[in-house]
Amino acid sequence: MPKNLIFKRRSEDEDIKASGMYLDFDEMGKKGVMSSADSSIAKWYGIYKSRQPGQHMARIVIPGGVVTSEQAKNIAAVSEKYGQGIINVTTRQALQFHWLKVPNLADVMRELFEYGNSTRHGCGDVTRNVTACPLAETCPAARINARKWARKTADVLGAQRDLDDLPRKFKINYSGCRADCAQPHINCVGLSGVVYKGQPGFKVVIGGGMGWKPFVAQPLFGFIPEASAVDVCRAVALLFREHGDRFNRAKSRLKFVVHRNGIDFCRDVVLQNLLSEGKSQEGFVVEDIDDEGTSYEERPLLQDTPKGTDGLFTVRVIIPKGELPFRKFYELAKLSEQYGDQRLYTSNRQNLEMHGVESRDVSNLKFAIHNLGFETDGSFSLRDIVTCVGTTYCPKAVTETRVLFDRIHRLVSRDTYRGILSSGIINITGCPNSCSPYRIADIGFRGMRIREEEGSVEGYEVLLGGSQTSFGEKLGEFKLCDCEEVVTLVLDAFMMVRRDDEFLTRCVQRVGIEYFRRAVYGEV
Amino acid sequence: MARFKYNKAAKPLESTVETGIGTSALDLKTIAKAIPCQEACPAKTNVPAYIEAIARGEDDKAYRINQEDNIFPGVLGRICTRVCEDACRHKWTNVEGPVQICHLKRYAADNIKEKQSAMPPWFGPTGKKIMVIGAGPAGLSAARDLSRMGHQVTVVEKAPAPGGMLVDGIPAFRLPRDIVSAEIALIEQGGVEIRTDVHVTQTMVDDYCNAYDAVLLAAGTTVTNSIAIPGAEDRQISGLDFMRGYNRGEVTAVRGNVVVVGGGFTAVDCARAARRVGEKDALVSIAYRRTEASMAADKNEFQAMAEEEIAIRTLLSPLRFELNDRGAGTLVLQRNLVADGTLGVKAKIVPLEGSEVRIPCDTLIVAIGQKRDESLLPFGVDSEEDGKTSKPGLFVSGDFKGGSADVISAVASGKNVARLMDEYLMGKRRLMRGVKYEVTDCDGETGRYRDHDIQFPLPMPMAPVAQRFENNAEVETGFTQLIAQNAAARCYLCHYKFEIDQDKCIHCNWCIEASPRDCIKKAARIFYDADGFPTKVFEAERNQDATYIYIDNDECIRCGKCLRVCPTEAIRMRKLEAGDCVKCDD
């Protein structure tokens, strides 16, 4: 059939989706290979191709970022059996396996399912893992239990088949208060707990996102009653489904819909969607309401061992590079049974947490965790560097981010910087996709290659002074071999002008990026 | 000394300007490489631009784009020799042959929806008067462009109607006359005066030179070549005379079996015309001393000749003509071979002594070329370099200048001489050839995708043989919209150029991953000529050896996937348009 030069408003991925979105992993396993079309659909099952040919990654969806110790042990067992014993914690509170082979994928999913673990909708153009602020239930600052709503949203939206084919991925998260620990402004939909006229509910922002083109989310509603949260998430998903770009996948995320059409248009569509499905809009307030929540600096999340409203403590496990062996993961699950609430919590700093620890057990638990080789204090510090997997596994990555992690980690661990450790965070991402959101960190690195006289070398674009509502400013582009020196110059310059306990980002905003540029480039 | 300032390899530049008009050697080299069909076209027609318009259903726009460089889109859409198609990138990147550029040109001309008007003038009236001798393709091209430059142009023509070889040489079943007259009418609308039935002589040329500011001799080649065939001295008709008679309706019948000697355009036309006016069941043959590959006819014409039962006999040279007692004639020919030639030199004919082939022949047409009427050239003209003669104000162009050639060459010749004449009259070059660059903001969305490249092109529909002989009907019936858009969609749209800004590129290789074929490469080194034009690219295998990520425009299919996937917005798509630009310092 001849093909005219028509404007095909559909990408090749959309063609593949239209040809059927189901895979038989057992049959595929017998053949032993996954075609490129199959690998597009495999994303809906949480399976990605790895950088290494024939290897795959599986992402376990963990709504709200909590697994029971039984589920954790199951994950450890599957990792040992099929994934070379490696488990990764992601910044969106999921867990990942690498090194999976096609013949094993069906068994991986089956064995995970035994304990209610699932990779379904781990990737693909669907509602992705719904995240929540880690301290959710017992955070003294929380207005509302974010985790409860995160899990409910995941359950409801995940079961709606008409949301299986969105233009692109769709990310929702819940924070307990306006301190926004779950980072609502860099997600498609962010809901933050607020109290309005004595009634608990959420402030809703939509259209944020990192990636190659970053956007800060815009306020959709100042207040919605908590009972409407899931309905609003669905109404936004429908807005996205109908208005997202299905031709250019690089511009199909909700953030582009909001940016292109304006937030007022989006709000009208969302309200219309609610109306047409007979959902209540009662109590909705468009304008911002007067409940600012806890300030960034004072939020309990930043404490090393925060105490909950139930009088029990949270103990952190800092996972370097977000990667740990199955045996240690298994041991941590056991520790949560012994000291905690029999659950492991994942955080958006790629760390694990144990909640519900009695005051008398805190030191014992920390001792046990130290024995496993992990630190417990210093999350949200310069040493708690978040890095994507980089070229170690990821086919998209440009740089080997873990090399930079090692160098920077060693650098900021020096005694010189003991006084400023808690002044900020460092994120390193291997490509513009920003899996480690480098734009919102105090110091952010984004991998690139830098052209030389002949050939090219690994390097990084370095940003300073980012937060989730104001992204970092560009310091410059530096070769990998220079990055340590650059960080040294930045931190030394920071220490010279730092006021009290000032965060690096606040300092950059106060003195300006030019000060740091001069410090680094040595120009007068 | 500033820290962290790295030495980097220079950014490759393929144009002198970002947007706007570039006229340097680098710009012209870039466009020549980027758009091979346009470069190959003698008249430099903006092929991809009009094909894109056809693909988008904008046939009027396509016709207009054609008109800019070529006064005869409808005519050349039928009879062009299609050097552009030989240069098409599909010739080396595909197995389905080139884009059917010529047929598409015709499709646009045949499907104009709105009444066309003359092309707008480039300059206001200059008060200069010009005489053009010959209303053939060269003369009319020159006249149209000179008129657009603001000069007052008169064209004189010997024949009763303008068109030259278009109406005298080419038969109507290949080129319907209403097509020719419609396009000539557009030229007249633009202010060109055409006087027919004017028999120009050498004295008149001299008089014109005195009375006009400039004179163009574009009288074509009207003197036919002949060969001595013993026994046929007074029986042979020249091909041109036969076609002229046929086209003017003076030849309505030919006697018996026909043999046409020759292998050029005229020979084929003569044979097909003879078939139409000849006796039923008579033999019509072409006898040519070289092989079919050397004949001017294209694939469609060979097919048409086969359907019309015209025998093509090759590697034969006429020896003599014989007549038997019953009045039936025979042409006796000798077999010959074509010697292995040297590249670029026409191979020699080697007769096979003693061999004889006899073809029944009652009418013998000899179509072995024409030459110009030397007597028209004023006395004392001794040089005609580039169309400018040694006599001030007298110019030559078309077949008259370079010997008989195809129509597109004549059009190009007329176009070029018009610019020379303008320069002569105005004392400076007012029209410059340049490249217009325009940065697009459509996300690289051209509408093309890989499937377009590999689909089968459909053939030109032809009238059934039975219908062809009624009313001299046109044989090739033209593309339907479906066929045309299908053919147009194959075009790579080479006027769009995807480029990577090397200072923004981070070597993520995502464009390479997304590319539909081996169109984006890692380059270790790029070599340039003196004008800064990249002449050679050393490819690199490994990331660390790649100095640049480089888009190979020869392989690019303009799907835009690379641009859309680029996370640093380093890739852009520029639209390139080569053509005449009015000189700014005018």
Side-chain angles (χ1 to χ4, degrees), chain A residues 30-315:
Chain A
K30 286 176 200 163
K31 286 185 208 151
V33 287
M34 191 188 280
S35 72
S36 68
D38 284 351
S39 69
S40 291
I41 300 302
K43 293 176 190 171
W44 271 253
Y45 294 83
I47 310 290
Y48 267 132
K49 279 193 168 175
S50 284
R51 192 178 188 90
Q52 293 77 9
Q55 310 297 331
H56 295 81
M57 181 275 276
R59 182 179 293 154
I60 305 167
V61 174
I62 304 180
V66 54
V67 286
T68 65
S69 60
E70 282 300 320
Q71 285 177 320
K73 287 178 183 172
N74 166 243
I75 289 166
V78 173
S79 165
E80 182 197 8
K81 198 166 170 185
Y82 301 108
Q84 297 198 4
I86 288 169
I87 295 168
N88 280 76
V89 188
T90 79
T91 54
R92 292 201 80 256
Q93 298 176 329
L95 295 172
Q96 289 178 181
F97 300 139
H98 292 279
W99 304 113
L100 304 178
K101 319 282 186 289
V102 175
N104 299 335
L105 290 173
D107 290 333
V108 168
M109 289 182 222
R110 253 192 299 274
E111 288 177 32
L112 285 171
F113 187 71
E114 287 293 305
Y115 289 84
N117 287 318
S118 173
T119 60
R120 193 144 184 282
H121 289 191
C123 320
D125 302 340
V126 285
T127 307
R128 296 288 187 87
N129 193 30
V130 183
T131 62
C133 54
L135 295 181
E137 295 91 348
T138 60
C139 178
R143 303 287 191 270
I144 208 163
N145 178 4
R147 184 143 26 236
K148 179 179 118 186
W149 290 104
R151 294 180 67 94
K152 188 170 169 77
T153 306
D155 287 348
V156 175
L157 266 54
Q160 289 169 342
R161 294 282 74 81
D162 61 340
L163 299 182
D164 275 354
D165 178 16
L166 297 174
R168 196 77 170 75
K169 57 187 170 187
F170 186 58
K171 294 176 174 178
I172 303 174
N173 76 10
Y174 281 86
S175 304
C177 74
R178 293 280 299 279
D180 293 337
C181 298
Q183 302 171 335
H185 289 96
I186 61 164
N187 279 264
C188 299
V189 186
L191 299 98
S192 312
V194 285
V195 175
Y196 179 60
K197 293 181 178 169
Q199 188 191 4
F202 293 101
K203 174 190 172 157
V204 186
V205 294
I206 63 168
M210 294 276 96
W212 67 277
K213 187 101 177 165
F215 290 98
V216 177
Q218 298 182 45
L220 185 70
F221 295 116
F223 177 81
I224 58 163
E226 59 176 347
S228 293
V230 179
D231 294 340
V232 168
C233 286
R234 175 174 164 81
V236 177
L238 291 175
L239 155 78
F240 180 38
R241 192 184 71 182
E242 298 312 317
H243 294 274
D245 188 344
R246 287 185 187 264
F247 170 66
N248 184 355
R249 280 180 73 80
K251 289 187 176 174
S252 57
R253 290 282 300 275
L254 181 71
K255 58 190 177 184
F256 292 100
V257 176
V258 176
H259 179 70
R260 250 195 324 266
N261 300 298
I263 189 70
D264 294 328
F265 168 86
C266 296
R267 188 181 299 113
D268 291 345
V269 175
V270 167
L271 291 172
Q272 187 57 46
N273 289 344
L274 288 166
L275 187 71
S276 62
E277 298 202 335
K279 304 295 185 193
S280 162
Q281 299 175 20
E282 205 182 318
F284 282 31
V285 179
V286 173
E287 301 77 30
D288 213 8
I289 61 155
D290 184 25
D291 180 5
E292 285 300 322
T294 317
S295 75
Y296 183 87
E297 285 85 351
E298 288 166 359
R299 55 193 182 142
L301 195 72
L302 298 183
Q303 297 163 14
D304 278 337
T305 317
K307 185 179 180 184
T309 47
D310 52 3
L312 302 175
F313 289 85
T314 292
V315 174

Side-chain angles (χ1 to χ4, degrees), chain B residues 173-201:
Chain B
F173 58 82
R174 282 216 292 141
L175 179 60
R177 296 301 179 250
D178 55 335
I179 306 286
V180 184
S181 52
E183 291 185 335
I184 293 178
L186 275 183
I187 299 165
E188 287 180 291
Q189 265 180 47
V192 174
E193 187 198 344
I194 303 176
R195 295 182 204 152
T196 51
D197 289 316
V198 181
H199 290 260
V200 175
T201 58

